Amino acid sequence: MNQRRRSLWRNEERGGICEGANVIKLLFGLSSSLCRSANKHKPWIETEYQGIVMENDNTVLLNPPLFALDKDAPLHYAGEICGFRVHNGPSGSGSVQFEAVVLDRSTGEGLVRSKEPLDCESQREHSFTIQAYDCGEGPDGVNSKKSHKATVHVRVNDVNEFSPVFVERRYEASVPEGRLFDRIVRVEALDADCSPQYSQICFYDIITPNVPFAIDNDGNIKNTEPLDSKRQRVHTFWVTAFDCGKNRAQADAQVVITVKPSCKPGWIGWTKRVEYTPGSGSIPLFPSLHLETCEETVWNIQATVELQTGHIGKGCDRDSYSDRSVRRLCGAVRGEVDLLPPPSPAANWTSALPTLPSSDSSLVFSFNGSNHVAVVPDSVVTALSGDHFTLQLWMRRGDYTDPPIIFCSCTDDSFSHYSLSVHGCRLSLFYWPDVSAARPVKFLWKLEQVCDSEWHHLSLSVQFPSVTLYVDGVTFDPALIHDNGAIPNPAPLKYVGGYHGLLSGVTVRPGSVEPHSVVECLYACREGLDFGDLETLGSGMKVHVNPSQSVLVLEGDDIESFNRAVQQVTYRNSLRFATPGVRPLKLTTSLRCFNEESCLSLKQLEGYLVVLQPDAPQISLSGVGPHLARPAPEFEGPRGVPLFPELRIVCSLSHAVNTAAQGMEALMSDAVAHTLDGCEVQPLGEELNPEREELLVDMDVVRERGLEIINTTAYIAITGAESISVYEDVLRSVRYRLAKGSARFERRFRLSCSEMNGRYTSNELTLEVNFLHSLDSLYHPSHLLASQQQFLHPSHHAGELSGHTLPNPHRNSVVPGAATVIIMVCVGFLVVMVILGVFRIRSIHRRGEGARGGAKEGSSQWDDSALTIIVNPMESYESRMGISADTEGEVEEDEEVAESPDDATTCLRTSSHGNHKPDHQSHTPTLLISTTADTTSIRNVCLQTLRTTQSL
């Protein structure tokens, strides 16, 4: 339409010019050349053109087409378009790469083209200006006119010359098994073409067949079925990409997907049971524990490890020695007064209080909060005056609905008054500096330990006006110190009561207070949680342990550092003989994530620590024989006789060791240095008669060593934690003394020792003491008769084994109590043999009468009216072991006896020859047979009896 309009406009212009030229020609006669040479108008073109050029081509398609018009047409030269000039565009570029040429000078049609092929990837759009000019007034272009400048925008159309290229040649990912995922990994390919048509990736494709994965047009790969790590751990396949021009990627990409076992957020490597061998020092509780968050991002982790030891002794494992022994081992100042001592005639104010058993052998008193009260006598409290004292006690709180008073010291004397009470979780001390003061000073502490129903040790050191409280060896300052106003003094009374719970070891010691190191040694736990090496603690990690070392808290923000820190949490027990048993363990974990709504929540883990039974020490007492024989006068001396002069105490540990040669386990015993805490010497049978006998101990040695002694008629008890050598010295000094004329025939004693407050005991060493009596006092026949009666009736002396000595020209003899049974058996056997011999003799006489055929019946019968049997119980039963005479010597000796001119045949034998130590001598019975019968028969009976006695 525009072209036709331009053509019509050009024809009209041309016709008008020509008609004007013809008129001028007719009128004036001018020639036609004048018309042709006139150039009055400029060429005309559009103001803006849009052009398109294909890559690898140079012809630009313009819209609208390029035509230049000139009103001078159809004049030759003036109405013709000779060319186009290309100028730089707004950006100053484009004129160099493009040119415009005239296709038809008369019509003004032109063509824009590039001088060289264009690259869309380097520059997609070009802008420049174009200007048309006519041919002027002649062939030389004189007086040529130019058109206005028109802007040309050229867009380079893309050609699909590039193929997609993957960003990575290999893609890897890992996923937990058993789940379907919307996206596991995303692959990406790029196309270098400039146009969206050819530069975009239209779709991806998995070219590996039969894989449980799919890929979408964006390159996201997902699994089409749940994966199983047991069936196939790693999946490998190939993918390719296509652009929208259907060009395939130059190279395919490899995808590797690893299937992980099911991921469950939580702790991995938790061991429910942990064993501890006493003497191992510190052991890690969680050596292989680590936290799995399943790729959840967390910014704070807090773990709390709790060790429950409340059921072990008084809250935890402590020294098993008695309180007094522990105080001595820790170097505490002596002089404490026990306000709740064991009930005894001297301390009867605790006899009405109920007691409970304790695992550490200490005495535990139970209070019901009402009628259980212990009123301490004035004689005990009088020594506790002054404003410097230390009050100590073990406490396990029960019901705390009422404000009970644990201890109150209130008298009419001039020294200070004070009371200790608990109310809820508060501990308060009221102190009246003077009896006339009406306004006491109140010290108040708020403590969780007061109301947690667990055992705790409280040590209150008062140096008025300063007061220090130690709870389980940890210092606590008063939360409040104030004047309560006027409060009247309590009634004159000293008591422990008004309290609901358990108390033990309530003591008060006047004078200077204990230093903190001693208090910590006395009552600190010997077991607890600890951290291995603080220097290896990662950055950002924090460790906190409570004073009793029963709770340990770890906090951090990095999982790797946190896992390393958890593996260094240890349990330590410094006791050689730790208390065996189970200690429950708990691990509580708290996580904080960036997305709090989806943050992980881990359940509490529970386990237990088992402290194994320690190798029990064997305490062996030796060096003392089973018998101690001394002359009776030595026992009657002023110092008596030492009972254990050569005593040896050895303590050893037996443990199993592997023998490499035989591949077996054997028991090895190692001697170790131990501390005993008590030994006891006890008379067996009757208790000691204080009027006739006593046990003596060197009190200087006992006091020098700081030991305590209880000496009664039933036993001697030496207590206190000390080394074995000290106890050896003390026990070697124990002596037994008799009063004049009180000598017995024997007395037995038993010695035993223990350690760890009676937890381990020694063997029982029994000693039999024999008293050697002089023969001069036993010559009178009444002594012999008494000895025979004592021998024939041993039950008259219950608890004793009796013996006498007989006259002997060479040595004294002793009868040990152990021979009584043997003597009785021998006597019975001899009586049987005598009866058999009598019947045998009578049968011989009957046969003799028959042979003589007429002898009188009663003349040769056995006359047993003169037969007497005398048993001598005074011969040594041990001396018969030294018989050196043979049978021939016995026969010769018997023949000599048989040839005696006496009418009585005597068969008196002693079954011992040679010299023996007095403490190994005893007597066996001897049989004396006297009769007027046939001496030959009696001689045979005697020989047979002697041989039988020797065999016994």
Side-chain angles (χ1 to χ4, degrees), residues 665-706:
E665 288 190 352
L667 288 177
M668 297 292 293
S669 182
D670 299 332
V672 292
H674 277 260
T675 300
L676 300 180
D677 61 5
C679 287
E680 183 179 287
V681 180
Q682 179 183 4
L684 298 180
E686 298 177 352
E687 294 186 2
L688 296 177
N689 186 348
E691 297 180 357
R692 300 177 55 189
E693 52 188 343
E694 62 179 341
L695 288 174
L696 305 176
V697 181
D698 191 343
M699 297 303 298
D700 293 336
V701 176
V702 174
R703 283 191 294 267
E704 180 183 353
R705 301 299 186 176

Side-chain angles (χ1 to χ4, degrees), residues 17-34:
I17 294 173
C18 292
E19 288 179 357
N22 291 330
V23 171
I24 294 173
K25 178 180 179 181
L26 291 175
L27 294 177
F28 299 100
L30 296 176
S31 63
S32 61
S33 59
L34 180 64

